[in-house]
């Protein structure tokens, strides 16, 4: 059941968007993640399942908290509590991921991630066509495509980090289409850090 929840989380994630400053801060998706975490841990509590928490997760998060607090105190700055909440939510998210330790759950999770990639690419293709047809606010600025990620650099980074999820298990035609779409948009968006990542990954593999 938890794996199915993950699948729906990734399938709905591209639609959680609000155009403006609110989305640039990541607030809608953070709220969506927090709602998902409540459901995920609620399922564990309801089913009375053992929740495994790796020691390294807790240690890394504790070091992060101490580093943030000490740096803020030394520099005389205010502690950014929103960022701490974000990192805490990510920490809890990966704890749930860690507890999906059977092949069926992992396969369902992977399917959800690939659905997320497919929807994101579809949004990118739609925006590309709108620009090409002159129906978008900007004309012939294809490298500015951001879909529902506020900025094209975020969109490109998400696509780059999605590549490994298309290479797991036996590669199927649908996965090849996703990989081709990812590479096409990475080149089109011209994000230097993403292109550098692709270059280094190409040399490594």
């Amino acid at each position: 059941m938890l794996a199915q929840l993950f699948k729906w989380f990734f399938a709905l994630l591209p639609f959680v968007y609000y155009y403006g400053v609110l989305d640039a801060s990541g607030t809608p998706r953070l709220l969506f993640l927090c709602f998902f975490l409540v459901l995920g841990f609620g399922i564990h509590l309801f089913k009375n399942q053992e929740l495994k928490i790796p020691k390294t997760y807790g240690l890394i998060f504790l070091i992060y908290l101490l580093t943030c607090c000490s740096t803020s105190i030394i520099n005389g700055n205010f502690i950014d509590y929103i960022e701490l909440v974000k990192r805490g939510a990510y920490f809890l998210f990966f704890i749930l991921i860690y507890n999906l330790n059977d092949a069926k759950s992992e396969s369902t999770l992977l399917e959800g991630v690939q659905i997320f990639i497919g929807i994101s690419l579809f949004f990118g293709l739609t925006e590309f066509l709108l620009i090409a047809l002159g129906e978008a606010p900007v004309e012939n600025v294809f490298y500015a495509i951001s879909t529902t990620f506020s900025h094209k650099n975020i969109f490109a980074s998400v696509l780059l980090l999605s590549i490994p999820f298309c290479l797991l298990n036996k590669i199927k035609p649908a996965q090849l289409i996703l990989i081709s779409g990812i590479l096409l948009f990475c080149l089109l968006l011209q994000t230097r850090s993403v292109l550098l990542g692709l270059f280094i990954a190409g040399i490594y593999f």
Side-chain angles (χ1 to χ4, degrees), residues 81-138:
Y81 293 103
I82 298 299
E83 286 301 317
L84 293 181
V85 170
K86 285 183 181 180
R87 300 305 181 271
Y90 300 156
F91 172 69
L92 295 175
F93 178 81
F94 283 112
I95 286 178
L96 288 180
I97 290 281
Y98 182 80
N99 282 269
L100 295 177
N101 51 11
D102 60 277
K104 184 178 179 181
S105 295
E106 291 173 359
S107 177
T108 303
L109 172 64
L110 184 60
E111 185 180 344
V113 175
Q114 291 175 356
I115 291 173
F116 164 77
I117 299 169
I119 294 172
S120 301
L121 288 173
F122 174 76
F123 285 165
L125 179 61
T126 302
E127 191 170 343
F128 175 87
L129 294 174
L130 288 174
I131 294 174
L133 297 173
E135 299 294 332
V138 292

